[in-house]
Amino acid sequence: FSGVSAAEQWNGSAMAAEELDALKLSIANCEPSSPHSIVRLHQALISCTTSIESGDFRQSEKSVSELVNFLNSVTDAVVSETENESSEDKAFQVLTGIHQYITSPSLDQAVIDALSFELPKAVARFACVSRRCLEIAGSVVDRFIEICSPRDMLSILCEALDSPSRMFKAPGYFAPLLSGLKKVFVSIQRRQFEQVKEAVPVIINVLKATASESDEGATDYEDLLNISIGIANSIQEVCVKLEGKENEKLRALLGLYILQIMVFVSIGIRDKVSSHPSLMLQLSDFLQYCNLSYLGLITGSDVDATTGTVVGEDGDDHRSHFSYVKHGACLAVIWGYISNEVAQAAEEDLAAVMAELSSNPDKRWQALGMLRNIFSFANLSWELKKQAINFLLSIVDGNVSHEYDIKHVECSFYMPRLFGTLQAIEAIVIYAPDAVIRKSAFVALKKVLADMPTSSRFDILIALIKNTDSASMLAILIDCLREDMLMEYCQRTSTGIQVIEAQINAFHSMSFWNAGTLEMVEFVLRPPMGGPPSLPEHGDAVLSALNLYRFVLITESTGNTNYTDVLSEKNLRKAYNEWLLPLRTLVTGIVAENQKDHDELAMDTVCALNPLELVLYRCIELVEEKLKHGT
């Protein structure tokens, strides 16, 4: 400044009077007594205006960059000086100066266009400073939207949303930019579907990032969710203007967008499910408009059809942008199950939907496969997962029927998805913090297994046993296998052989009573990695495997059958020499070692191995007896 007043510097510029008016900077505010930040702002704005109007591209690019750097330095200072009122006040004055400048009616359009590429992102950072800064930042963004090309502003806002700095990756930063998108969408006149389609993934990524970092009860995150619903209203407003195929595609895109917003609402409420938010009611209002029904959502058919309409020829290249739609589809129905008001907002008869699922195996298996998205989603609250389990139980409870065993219903297509659902339920049984949820999940696990045809159920159980890392879960699954074998055995023996002999012959190859059962016993007692099982860590699984072996051995012996080949001399000797005797050596060694100590841990170990030791010796006695008398 070199001793020259701001007023002299201002008046000395070659700008015409109308440009001075456009700057909206009062000379009185630019006296030497004015805050240094305001003086620097005026200088930066003068430099931008003169260089842009003169057509000096290199200088204008440099001037705009210097203006942005100055604005960023102001917001950086506020962030580093938390709870500093003077810093906030300085930021507010600078932002107000920008707003006065940009709203001048005589400001040249070329200047506006040049600044529009950089200022929205810079002023959005001010929105993180305070509520009043948020309001002014929104006004600045709105001004650019009013007087710049909607297509240009769409790409500018999306770029700003897609590249926040680490310090400003907060809901406040995104709020004015998202609000701007809401206004841009309704201003676009051509290729609306294509342009909205490019913007929606950016919005979803913003909500995904802020959802993972928001604190419980954070109002700024809820503000973003409200803005996202406002964006949905804007997309719907655009839909009304379109006809035919374009209307259908944009309506489908709106449906996918709504389903993903439902996910972020569900994440945001944490465990406050009982006080369901009005946001979910608003979102459910869109479902019928987007041709999404509860039955189509929970079975996935509407999701697949809608996604196909949107991605079109893009195929898998664009599907990754809608990774949460299946989660949202399930949540839409679960929220209707939780709240009658939500179901009414969606204009759905949930009782009729559940009745259809209960009576139709194909649709029920589709729904069970879809629910895996809820059970395995780490960001959802346990309360919502509990509600999803209750919903599952309501469509399979009292509905287990094995008529399709005999009719050979083709269900292999659904089994991989059901396997994923069962694995997700397993995780809830193991990790849920609440005993009630764990118990419900265990019941659900057994219900889903029981709902499968016998052939598939055996294969699924074997796969679950081989793919679990939890010894306790391994024990549970082996017990389920034993219970199924007992049930099948009782069914065979309680009815006259003459009546069911043909049926037994028809699906004997699908029975639980086969050599695969012994493979499961060996899987536990002689692990694939070699050596005996680890004790006492895997004591539960070993005890269950021994109980299964004892049950099969006794049942086959008393029934004079050998479906599992357990009574062959080869398998008896294998079990005796490779499973039972090495296990006895291990158990007796551990017990003897711990009996020398008298601390609590040692006594607990001995007590834990006592039941296992009793069953082990009984198995050894049974095998020795069979080998002694022959098979």
Side-chain angles (χ1 to χ4, degrees), residues 233-251:
N233 286 316
S234 295
I235 297 174
Q236 186 177 17
E237 187 177 337
V238 177
C239 285
V240 174
K241 302 175 184 178
L242 303 178
E243 297 178 350
K245 195 69 175 177
E246 289 301 302
N247 176 280
E248 178 187 347
K249 292 194 296 183
L250 188 56
R251 192 179 293 200

Side-chain angles (χ1 to χ4, degrees), residues 323-397:
S323 57
Y324 283 162
V325 291
K326 291 187 176 180
H327 303 76
C330 294
L331 285 167
V333 180
I334 297 304
W335 275 103
Y337 175 75
I338 295 170
S339 165
N340 288 331
E341 292 179 73
V342 173
Q344 290 169 4
E347 300 179 38
E348 287 284 353
D349 182 355
L350 187 63
V353 173
M354 295 170 67
E356 175 66 15
L357 294 174
S358 295
S359 61
N360 189 317
D362 288 293
K363 286 185 169 57
R364 185 169 63 255
W365 292 333
Q366 290 169 0
L368 294 177
M370 283 286 290
L371 287 171
R372 171 181 59 88
N373 295 288
I374 303 300
F375 299 142
S376 61
F377 194 28
N379 291 330
L380 282 182
S381 68
W382 287 111
E383 179 62 23
L384 270 174
K385 291 182 180 182
K386 182 180 78 171
Q387 295 291 346
I389 290 172
N390 291 340
F391 176 81
L392 182 156
L393 292 173
S394 69
I395 62 175
V396 298
D397 192 31

Side-chain angles (χ1 to χ4, degrees), residues 56-72:
D56 188 340
F57 176 76
R58 180 172 296 181
Q59 180 58 42
S60 64
E61 191 175 52
K62 179 182 177 183
S63 297
V64 172
S65 177
E66 289 175 350
L67 172 61
V68 170
N69 289 338
F70 164 67
L71 295 176
N72 289 346

Side-chain angles (χ1 to χ4, degrees), residues 8-191:
E8 291 171 336
Q9 177 79 3
W10 195 275
N11 292 326
S13 69
M15 295 177 357
E18 57 266 30
E19 275 73 28
L20 287 176
D21 291 338
L23 288 174
K24 284 290 185 179
L25 296 173
S26 170
I27 292 178
N29 289 336
C30 295
E31 292 299 325
S33 59
S34 299
H36 180 62
S37 58
I38 300 301
V39 174
R40 286 188 60 190
L41 174 64
H42 289 168
Q43 291 178 308
L45 292 175
I46 290 173
S47 178
C48 288
T49 306
T50 54
S51 60
I52 293 169
E53 289 182 343
S54 66
D56 188 340
F57 176 76
R58 180 172 296 181
Q59 180 58 42
S60 64
E61 191 175 52
K62 179 182 177 183
S63 297
V64 172
S65 177
E66 289 175 350
L67 172 61
V68 170
N69 289 338
F70 164 67
L71 295 176
N72 289 346
S73 70
V74 174
T75 51
D76 287 341
V78 178
V79 171
S80 62
E81 300 174 14
T82 55
E83 299 183 5
N84 188 322
E85 292 185 9
S86 63
S87 295
E88 189 277 337
D89 190 61
K90 179 168 65 176
F92 178 75
Q93 291 182 31
V94 169
L95 187 58
T96 301
I98 290 290
H99 181 257
Q100 291 174 341
Y101 171 76
I102 211 71
T103 54
S104 171
S106 59
L107 190 62
D108 192 278
Q109 185 64 41
V111 177
I112 292 287
D113 290 340
L115 293 177
S116 68
F117 288 98
E118 298 294 340
L119 279 194
K121 183 176 179 179
V123 300
R125 292 160 58 105
F126 284 83
C128 301
V129 174
S130 65
R131 179 62 66 173
R132 62 176 183 165
C133 286
L134 170 62
E135 294 174 359
I136 299 295
S139 297
V140 173
V141 173
D142 289 347
R143 178 60 177 168
F144 281 116
I145 293 169
E146 289 172 7
I147 56 181
C148 295
S149 162
R151 295 184 66 177
D152 288 344
M153 288 308 302
L154 181 65
S155 60
I156 290 167
L157 292 176
C158 285
E159 192 279 332
L161 287 166
D162 210 25
S163 57
S165 68
R166 179 175 299 180
M167 292 176 66
F168 291 91
K169 199 172 184 178
Y173 168 84
F174 296 114
L177 301 172
L178 288 177
S179 293
L181 277 184
K182 180 173 62 175
K183 300 175 178 68
V184 167
F185 282 162
V186 296
S187 301
I188 298 173
Q189 300 300 317
R190 296 177 59 252
R191 298 176 60 84

Side-chain angles (χ1 to χ4, degrees), residues 381-500:
S381 68
W382 287 111
E383 179 62 23
L384 270 174
K385 291 182 180 182
K386 182 180 78 171
Q387 295 291 346
I389 290 172
N390 291 340
F391 176 81
L392 182 156
L393 292 173
S394 69
I395 62 175
V396 298
D397 192 31
N399 181 57
V400 178
S401 170
H402 299 296
E403 292 179 1
Y404 35 73
D405 277 341
I406 300 173
K407 293 180 180 178
H408 298 286
V409 169
E410 178 55 47
C411 61
S412 58
F413 174 77
Y414 305 111
M415 291 306 112
R417 299 178 186 179
L418 290 179
F419 176 71
T421 299
L422 287 165
Q423 284 191 307
I425 295 174
E426 276 186 15
I428 297 177
V429 174
I430 297 171
Y431 298 113
D434 186 78
V436 174
I437 300 178
R438 293 196 299 271
K439 182 177 179 180
S440 295
F442 175 67
V443 174
L445 180 74
K446 298 188 72 173
K447 291 282 187 182
V448 174
L449 283 169
D451 196 39
M452 297 178 181
T454 303
S455 58
S456 298
R457 188 161 74 254
F458 180 79
D459 293 338
I460 289 287
L461 262 176
I462 298 305
L464 289 172
I465 289 171
K466 289 183 175 181
N467 287 277
T468 184
D469 296 324
S470 166
S472 297
M473 181 53 62
L474 186 57
I476 289 172
L477 293 171
I478 292 174
D479 287 342
C480 288
L481 177 59
R482 179 163 54 88
E483 289 172 9
D484 275 322
M485 295 182 72
L486 176 60
M487 183 184 301
E488 185 177 77
Y489 179 79
C490 293
Q491 289 173 346
R492 288 183 174 187
T493 56
S494 63
T495 309
I497 295 298
Q498 299 86 351
V499 177
I500 63 170

